[in-house]
């Protein structure tokens, strides 16, 4: 395969990117007949093992709500009342819940540096084992509530770091044909973790001893050990390995994961794409941290990633899980553990549908449809809840309606904004800035997770179900943000997506963009990246090439 050559003029101008047409796309004649990427066992295994990081996130998030209803946990960490009962004030309960998010916010910010220094694979292992320290602090707590909260803070450091490293590792390692599905499996494992925690809580909540909460808590240790040890048996991200000078390792990994031979033209093409991007970076000055805002189209992408990750929280998914118990009590289902299991089951089942959506449907249309669907659910939820259930009018009928729309909302979130945001953000950045940008975007998610976790109790106490109107407005805004700013990235390589953003491809028509139609020169056999009409004739100025 003819390797790309970068010109001095193009290397100095970030807007002048060269890129070959993907062999998997029409119009390329370099791929061998019948040669294509395959769905391999090792690629799926890599995605699933790494996704245990999402399972850990979901598990620790799902178990805490059940702890507050356990007698022994309340007696140890709650406040004694005059009638002999123990209760949690909104401040104490909010602090315990939100400390995990606070730790995760810090962990997500340091994950970028860890990913670039230790590597994606080792960084995941270190983060998983760091969670074990926080779990030990939690389990060893006896009567001091803030010791348990500190344990969640330490646990959150690892969880937050994993929320950056796992999607990064999956996106950089997975073949393009299943990359979206494997990255989206991170969200599937989050829902499985929540559901598993709710089931274990349901099985231990009747115990009068500390086993009621220490058993579910201790299970977190098992998931961390599986991930921390299991990830060491998997290969390093080929893009990270190449950037460390290990080209043969990167080539073997790409070939193994895609079911190809190391000298395949498709493997050569991917190695060449990585090389071109790396050469482009080396042709300029050293990267400074502020270049995630000042680099070519980087402010656009950095801000977009932060907005999308914040938007995943501002869809209101956590609000539904928080208020779900009240809804089910309105129709006579008083066991809150059963209520959580019902909502959690809907979440898990529909997230499997989300894997189909991310694999078969476009990112843009799915996200816009999901935002509109969730907005509709929240409008009905807010008005029915406020004007009927809250005022005591037809509470059973209102409760039934809210149950239905709670499940419909969860179905929409689980099939669209739950899994797709992780996939889109993981595809959004060039390799040079991927680690710090993903760290910043994920930190945005954790920041809003913290704010919603801490303040929801206070806000709902003041405006009850009308709180849902806030989330309905956020869903409406997210619809237009996706429509105007998110490029369709389904089935494209990470390098191709980077090129599209640098070229300023119109997001509205990006699904139809085909760079292989751009004319090529004898020197480069690549795509011209000038800001002209994509199908217009492009004249190149012959310049001296930089040889490898």
């Amino acid at each position: 395969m003819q390797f790309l050559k970068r010109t001095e003029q193009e290397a100095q101008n970030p807007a002048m990117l060269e890129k070959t047409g993907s062999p998997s796309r029409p119009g390329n004649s370099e791929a061998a007949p019948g040669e294509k990427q395959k769905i391999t066992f090792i690629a799926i295994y890599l995605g699933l093992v790494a996704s245990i990081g999402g399972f850990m996130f979901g598990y620790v998030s799902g178990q805490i709500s059940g702890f507050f209803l356990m007698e022994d946990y309340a007696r140890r960490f709650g406040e004694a009342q005059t009638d002999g009962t123990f209760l949690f004030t909104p401040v104490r309960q909010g602090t315990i819940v939100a400390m995990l998010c606070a730790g995760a916010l810090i962990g997500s910010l340091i994950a970028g540096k860890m990913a670039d220094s230790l590597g994606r694979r080792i960084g995941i292992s270190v983060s998983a084992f760091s969670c074990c320290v926080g779990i030990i602090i939690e389990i060893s707590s006896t009567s001091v509530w803030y010791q348990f909260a500190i344990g969640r803070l330490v646990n959150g450091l690892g969880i937050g770091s994993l929320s950056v490293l796992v999607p990064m590792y999956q996106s950089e390692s997975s073949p393009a044909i299943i990359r979206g599905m494997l990255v989206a499996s991170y969200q599937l494992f989050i829902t499985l973790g929540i559901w598993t925690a709710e089931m274990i809580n349901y099985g231990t909540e009747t115990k009068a001893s500390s086993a009621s909460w220490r058993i579910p808590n201790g299970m977190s240790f098992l998931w961390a050990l599986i991930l921390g040890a299991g990830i060491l048996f998997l290969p390093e991200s080929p893009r990270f390995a190449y950037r460390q000078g290990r080209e043969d390792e990167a080539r073997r990994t790409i070939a193994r994961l895609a079911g190809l031979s190391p000298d395949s033209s498709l493997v050569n093409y991917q190695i060449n794409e990585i090389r071109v991007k790396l050469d482009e970076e080396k042709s300029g000055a050293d990267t400074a941290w502020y270049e995630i805002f000042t680099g070519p189209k980087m402010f656009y992408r950095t801000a977009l990633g932060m907005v999308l990750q914040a938007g995943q929280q501002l869809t209101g998914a956590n609000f539904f899980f928080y208020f779900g118990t009240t809804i089910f009590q309105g129709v006579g289902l008083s066991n809150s553990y059963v209520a959580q299991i019902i909502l959690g089951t809907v979440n898990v089942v529909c997230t499997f549908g989300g894997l189909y959506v991310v694999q078969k449907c476009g990112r843009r249309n799915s996200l816009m449809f999901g935002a509109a669907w969730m907005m509709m659910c929240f409008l009905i939820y807010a008005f029915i809840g406020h004007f009927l259930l809250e005022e005591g009018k037809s509470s059973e009928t209102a409760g039934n309606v809210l149950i239905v729309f709670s499940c419909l909302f969860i179905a929409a979130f689980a099939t669209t904004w739950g899994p797709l945001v992780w996939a889109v953000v993981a595809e959004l950045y060039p390799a040079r800035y991927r680690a710090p940008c993903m760290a910043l975007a994920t930190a945005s998610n954790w920041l809003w997770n913290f704010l919603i976790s801490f303040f929801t109790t206070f806000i709902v106490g003041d405006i009850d179900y009308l709180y849902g109107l806030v989330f309905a407005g956020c869903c409406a805004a997210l619809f237009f943000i996706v429509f105007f700013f998110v490029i369709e990235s389904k089935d494209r390589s990470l390098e191709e997506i980077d090129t599209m953003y640098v070229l300023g491809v119109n997001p509205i028509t990006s699904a139809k963009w085909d760079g292989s139609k751009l004319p090529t020169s004898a020197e480069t056999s690549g795509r011209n990246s000038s800001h002209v009409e994509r199908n217009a004739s492009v004249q190149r100025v012959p310049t001296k090439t930089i040889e490898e």
Side-chain angles (χ1 to χ4, degrees), residues 53-352:
F55 186 93
M56 293 167 58
F57 170 18
Y59 188 85
V60 298
S61 300
Q63 68 180 3
I64 190 63
S65 60
F67 287 179
F68 293 118
L69 302 178
M70 294 176 179
E71 180 181 345
D72 183 82
Y73 189 86
R75 185 171 60 251
R76 290 173 182 271
F77 305 119
E79 293 186 1
Q81 307 298 303
T82 55
D83 59 358
T85 61
F86 294 86
L87 297 176
F88 290 90
T89 63
V91 173
R92 181 173 298 192
Q93 181 174 348
T95 301
I96 292 175
V97 172
M99 286 300 279
L100 178 79
C101 302
L105 173 61
I106 300 171
S108 63
L109 290 174
I110 64 177
K113 187 64 175 178
M114 183 188 301
D116 286 339
S117 57
L118 299 180
R120 284 46 165 161
R121 184 173 62 102
I122 300 300
I124 290 175
S125 183
V126 170
S127 299
F129 286 122
S130 69
C131 292
C132 297
V133 177
I135 296 168
I136 292 173
I137 296 174
E138 292 176 40
I139 294 178
S140 62
S141 303
T142 54
S143 59
V144 180
W145 71 269
Y146 49 82
Q147 178 182 343
F148 191 90
I150 292 173
R152 282 178 61 82
L153 176 70
V154 176
N155 195 0
L157 292 173
I159 295 296
S161 181
L162 289 172
S163 68
V164 175
L165 294 171
V166 169
M168 184 189 304
Y169 176 67
Q170 291 172 320
S171 68
E172 291 187 346
S173 304
S174 305
I177 57 173
I178 57 171
R179 184 181 63 242
M181 183 177 68
L182 290 185
V183 177
S185 68
Y186 179 77
Q187 177 66 25
L188 171 63
F189 273 64
I190 291 176
T191 64
L192 285 171
I194 294 172
W195 183 82
T196 302
E198 292 167 349
M199 293 295 291
I200 295 177
N201 280 350
Y202 180 69
T204 63
E205 57 101 4
T206 56
K207 296 181 179 295
S209 67
S210 63
S212 59
W213 59 273
R214 280 190 166 126
I215 289 177
N217 212 11
M219 292 295 292
S220 302
F221 210 93
L222 176 62
W223 321 133
L225 289 177
I226 293 174
L227 176 61
I231 198 71
L232 297 177
F233 294 94
L234 291 170
E236 180 56 272
S237 154
R239 286 169 171 82
F240 178 81
Y242 188 95
R243 296 170 71 83
Q244 298 301 306
R246 308 197 301 264
E247 179 178 345
D248 289 341
E249 177 187 341
R251 181 180 294 275
R252 290 194 302 269
T253 300
I254 291 174
R256 184 184 179 195
L257 293 173
L260 301 168
S261 63
D263 59 351
S264 162
S265 61
L266 290 175
V267 175
N268 289 339
Y269 165 75
Q270 292 188 48
I271 289 292
N272 191 47
E273 278 194 318
I274 297 172
R275 180 185 67 80
V276 166
K277 293 295 181 182
L278 184 59
D279 287 348
E280 177 190 331
E281 296 171 14
K282 289 181 177 179
S283 68
D286 293 337
T287 303
W289 69 267
Y290 55 79
E291 288 186 32
I292 63 175
F293 300 105
T294 62
K297 293 288 185 179
M298 285 310 301
F299 181 81
Y300 179 99
R301 286 189 273 180
T302 300
L304 181 60
M306 294 176 64
V307 169
L308 290 175
Q309 283 284 21
Q312 189 189 59
Q313 288 297 319
L314 291 171
T315 57
N318 285 341
F319 171 74
F320 262 91
F321 279 101
Y322 173 80
F323 228 178
T325 301
T326 304
I327 299 169
F328 283 94
Q329 286 178 339
V331 293
L333 186 58
S334 58
N335 191 322
S336 59
Y337 291 95
V338 175
Q340 291 173 340
I341 290 173
I342 291 173
L343 293 178
T345 301
V346 173
N347 196 17
V348 171
V349 172
C350 292
T351 304
F352 279 101

Side-chain angles (χ1 to χ4, degrees), residues 485-528:
F485 300 107
V486 175
I487 281 178
E488 181 56 65
S489 56
K490 179 179 178 293
D491 293 337
R492 300 184 186 272
S493 71
L494 297 180
E495 288 71 27
E496 186 174 10
I497 297 166
D498 177 40
T499 298
M500 293 174 70
Y501 275 104
V502 173
L503 291 179
V505 172
N506 186 351
I508 300 174
T509 59
S510 58
K512 300 178 181 179
W513 187 81
D514 185 2
S516 66
K517 294 182 179 179
L518 292 175
T520 60
S521 70
E523 290 183 354
T524 62
S525 92
R527 297 175 184 169
N528 189 288

